Amino acid sequence: MGKPTSIKTSEDVRDRLRVLAEERGTTITELLEELASRELTVAEREQRAVEAARELGIEYTEQVRHAGEDAWAKIRAHQGGAAA
């Protein structure tokens, strides 16, 4: 683990993080580390899309990228999540 630091947030968010951590038998710090490590950055998502297209034998173009984004938005909408 790196050097400790602080993150400013509301009391409500802090309290929710505490409950979530307790339910998982962990600390807020470990919970935040887990959440941060499983979320991909834009660059990481883009790289994975390029690699997936390559594995499928598809040239990764802007048109393919937009089609993929549209497909994921529809999937999220059907799952009750926010469409991106």
Side-chain angles (χ1 to χ4, degrees):
M1 183 168 75
K3 182 179 172 183
T5 188
S6 314
I7 297 174
K8 293 186 184 247
T9 189
S10 69
E11 289 180 354
D12 289 342
V13 170
R14 182 212 50 214
D15 293 344
R16 180 167 174 79
L17 289 169
R18 182 175 291 133
V19 169
L20 290 169
E22 287 174 2
E23 288 178 350
R24 289 166 173 76
T26 190
T27 65
I28 291 175
T29 298
E30 290 170 341
L31 176 65
L32 289 171
E33 288 173 355
E34 175 193 333
L35 293 171
S37 67
R38 78 174 169 207
E39 290 299 317
L40 298 176
T41 65
V42 171
E44 290 167 335
R45 286 193 304 269
E46 186 76 8
Q47 183 58 39
R48 288 194 181 185
V50 168
E51 291 169 4
R54 185 180 311 122
E55 288 178 16
L56 294 169
I58 299 170
E59 181 182 354
Y60 190 72
T61 64
E62 281 295 306
Q63 184 177 4
V64 169
R65 183 176 67 80
H66 288 296
E69 289 171 352
D70 291 345
W72 280 111
K74 289 176 184 173
I75 290 167
R76 282 190 294 275
H78 286 284
Q79 292 174 334

